Amino acid sequence: MEKKDELNENINNLDYLKEYISKLEGYELPEYKALSDIPLYMEQVISYIQGALEPLIKDSNFITPFMVNNYVKAKILDAPINKKYNKDHIAYLLAISLLKQTASMKDIASLIEIDKYLTEDKQKLYTSFKEIYDEVLKNQTHRLKVRVETISRDQKKKVAQNNKKNNKTEATNTLETSDQLLALIALRLYIESETSKMIADEIMGRISPMVFENHDVLEVSKKEAKITNKKESKEAKRLASRK
């Protein structure tokens, strides 16, 4: 019974990943014109951003009132009008929420500052960001889809062959190998992500100091770094306590 459950779990890992990739492949950031025309209060904004990015970011705490207030304090985001946030606020918060997964607040602030020199048209700026993001997401998911489908097809074929021979041990070993291959894909993705971030950080390390010196932005970066360090420390303790 345990072997059967193990087989099903390994098959489900492949099927779940294919389903997840298909979900990402069909995802696009909302169009500027689709963003709320009605100014929203803070809690409404948080709910709106979380809903829009839910397929991409699982942790709902990626945006909080504390963070939004810090973006305003650091002048990364314009102050709300009568405590309400308009369509431009929402567009910037969508971009910031995605970029902050890898970029520092200082670099995000620099990118936004550079945008101001290009154009004051917020719709144009957001649309440009959306086009780049959607293109990269589709390209990455397509490459990953090809890899995973190849693994799935090969492994299921081997399992079927082994099941015909009534060789359950070989079938289990085959699916264990599929999980190992998926782990290698995850490792490759981590390395690709880190390499891209390293290069991007090097570029922004040259550009940011030339754009402006904003002490408020630096303070926000330091605060968020401390929060990240605390989260990592808690995670390390939790993992250390596992059996």
Side-chain angles (χ1 to χ4, degrees):
M1 186 68 179
E2 288 182 3
K3 288 292 182 184
K4 185 177 179 181
D5 290 342
E6 188 177 352
L7 285 169
N8 289 333
E9 183 180 348
N10 283 321
I11 290 172
N12 287 339
N13 284 343
L14 283 165
D15 290 341
Y16 170 78
L17 186 53
K18 287 195 291 183
E19 184 180 337
Y20 175 66
I21 292 168
S22 294
K23 187 177 179 182
L24 288 183
E25 203 172 28
Y27 178 85
E28 289 186 355
L29 283 172
E31 300 277 353
Y32 182 86
K33 62 183 179 183
L35 302 180
S36 177
D37 288 316
I38 303 171
L40 304 174
Y41 286 108
M42 176 71 84
E43 291 306 318
Q44 293 173 308
V45 169
I46 299 298
S47 178
Y48 188 96
I49 301 294
Q50 287 175 340
L53 300 183
E54 185 274 332
L56 303 177
I57 310 175
K58 299 302 180 184
D59 183 3
S60 60
N61 289 322
F62 71 86
I63 182 169
T64 64
F66 172 79
M67 292 176 186
V68 175
N69 286 331
N70 273 337
Y71 302 152
V72 172
K73 179 182 177 182
K75 299 178 182 177
I76 296 173
L77 195 68
D78 289 339
I81 301 171
N82 297 323
K83 297 184 179 181
K84 289 186 176 181
Y85 297 81
N86 59 32
K87 180 179 287 194
D88 291 340
H89 287 116
I90 293 171
Y92 268 123
L93 283 170
L94 285 169
I96 291 169
S97 295
L98 290 170
L99 289 173
K100 68 171 288 191
Q101 304 301 312
T102 50
S104 69
M105 281 294 100
K106 181 180 70 174
D107 290 338
I108 292 173
S110 297
L111 290 168
I112 290 174
E113 193 69 17
I114 291 170
D115 280 347
K116 292 177 182 178
Y117 289 102
L118 298 176
T119 178
E120 290 293 326
D121 187 343
K122 301 297 190 296
Q123 178 173 355
K124 189 173 181 180
L125 290 173
Y126 175 77
T127 300
S128 177
F129 174 83
K130 169 182 160 54
E131 287 174 353
I132 294 171
Y133 192 90
D134 289 347
E135 179 188 355
V136 172
L137 182 63
K138 278 184 170 51
N139 289 341
Q140 289 287 77
T141 51
H142 177 71
R143 287 169 55 200
L144 182 56
K145 183 179 181 179
V146 172
R147 292 177 187 171
V148 173
E149 284 184 343
T150 300
I151 292 174
S152 179
R153 184 172 58 252
D154 291 347
Q155 300 306 302
K156 286 186 177 181
K157 183 178 178 181
K158 289 178 183 178
V159 169
Q161 291 172 345
N162 289 324
N163 283 340
K164 284 182 180 179
K165 298 175 184 177
N166 202 26
N167 193 339
K168 297 297 183 182
T169 301
E170 279 298 319
T172 301
N173 290 339
T174 297
L175 284 164
E176 285 176 349
T177 302
S178 74
D179 277 357
Q180 291 167 359
L181 291 172
L182 288 177
L184 286 175
I185 287 178
L187 176 61
R188 176 179 287 274
L189 290 171
Y190 280 129
I191 293 172
E192 288 175 352
S193 175
E194 179 55 32
T195 302
S196 297
K197 182 181 181 330
M198 178 179 66
I199 296 170
D201 285 348
E202 181 67 21
I203 293 170
M204 293 309 297
R206 305 279 297 180
I207 294 174
S208 290
M210 295 187 291
V211 175
F212 67 117
E213 281 291 332
N214 190 323
H215 297 293
D216 289 335
V217 170
L218 294 177
E219 284 303 311
V220 171
S221 294
K222 289 177 183 177
K223 286 180 181 178
E224 295 208 346
K226 286 181 180 179
I227 292 171
T228 299
N229 289 337
K230 285 182 180 178
K231 285 183 179 179
E232 288 182 355
S233 178
K234 287 181 180 178
E235 181 70 4
K237 288 180 181 178
R238 186 183 69 78
L239 288 171
S241 65
R242 74 188 186 281
K243 293 182 180 179

